[in-house]
Amino acid sequence: MASKSFSEDDLSCPVCYNIYKDPVILTCTHSICNTCLQKFWETKGSRECPVCRTRCSKEEYPLNLVLKNLCETFQQREENSQREPFCSLHRSELKLFCEDDKQLVCLVCRDSKLHKNHNFSPIGEAALERKEELKIKLQPLQKNLDNFKQVKTTSDKTAQHIRVQAQHTERQIKEEFEKLHQFLRDEEAARLAALREEEEQKSQMMKEKIEKMSREISSLSDTIRAIEEEMGADDITFLQVGPITVERAQCTLQDPERVGGALINVAKHLGNLKFRVWEKMQEIVQHTLVTLDPNTAHPHIILSEDLTSVRVSNERQQLPDNPDRFDKAACVLGSEGFNSGTHCWYVEVGDSDIWCLGVKTESSQRKGEGALSGVWRVYHGNGAYEALSPSQTTTPLTVKRKPQRIRVQLDWDRGKLSFSDPDNNTHLHTFIHTFTERVFPYIYTLSSLRILPVKAAVTVEHR
């Protein structure tokens, strides 16, 4: 009990202010931690008591065993008081739980006026009861945690897929631009070759004309030189050959022929060059009125590189389960929605046994059974054709010849959605509905389908 009469201040070193550790007692009766004393002497440069400054004659002083034991007992008691449940008022062991005050109490507390007429429970029972309550309260938290973990897992997959998408898209962009670059390189080479061919032809023509004129100049020079020589002869000789000389001088020659059209036809090579190259580019450029959105495609659906063809694979792709993606039906939507105007697109269904074409509202669900909600569509399966609307109204369709292509035409403003066979211009069905939100082209299949391209045309307007 002696240790209980001391406080922490009584057992603190005057140098480090912590509980004494290996305290030594000096001649002046002050006690100091041995380590603190040695450091003080080294810093001070002289041996004296840190408290009263009395000079110390010894290098070492004896250990204060009584003080050391008191410090160890005090520290042990403090550690025990932190580990063991003792009442702070009565220093008795806590054995009960006050249900009214919601706190631990000892037996003395139970009998005191502070807890008079209160309800008490053994600590074990009270703890068990509250643990059960916490288990119930933990259930929604645990569920919430599981949801967070699930969403984080999906988010991690999405982040990884974004990187894959970016790399794949970058590669496709480079490939498409390389095709355009190659087309331009080939077109440049062809036009340069045409220029070189014209240059060679006209250069050869000018060479031949120049050679012919050179021969005529040489012949005429010889004639002039001969006449001049004859004119320089003596009179008798000149008169003897005079008639021949006069005849030679009177010969008539055609004037030199001027060459027309000899220059390069620059206008043919440079006139509207960019426009004519762009016009020719239509041969390699295709335009589809609808491109498909891979972020909506069911994991079993594989899209072509240009996002116009659909095929169904038996293997499920590892794709993020983002909110826009279909997860039950093998569906995919167009990348662009419509909330005004008239739009038309052609789908090659070929010999596909099961397909479904139409439009789906932007707000309708895409998960589970929601894949069929908000869809106006024409369905083909097992030889039968049907028209279905979001109200679950089913209209059997009579089709005499199996279509290979389907034309889907949407007039959003007038509320008309029509389906027809463009090969024989046969009408299949028309939905009449007042659309109030954006709709997207909708495709469902168990085999393969393709959005057909339309021919692009370059028109010139005169202003």
Side-chain angles (χ1 to χ4, degrees), residues 144-163:
N144 199 10
L145 176 61
D146 293 341
N147 289 338
F148 269 104
K149 289 182 178 179
Q150 184 177 359
V151 172
K152 183 181 181 299
T153 300
T154 302
S155 299
D156 291 339
K157 292 180 180 178
T158 301
Q160 181 179 2
H161 188 66
I162 289 172
R163 291 191 293 271

Side-chain angles (χ1 to χ4, degrees), residues 9 15 205 209 255 367 409:
D9 292 338
V15 176
M205 180 186 69
K209 289 183 177 295
D255 291 334
K367 303 297 185 184
Q409 185 162 343

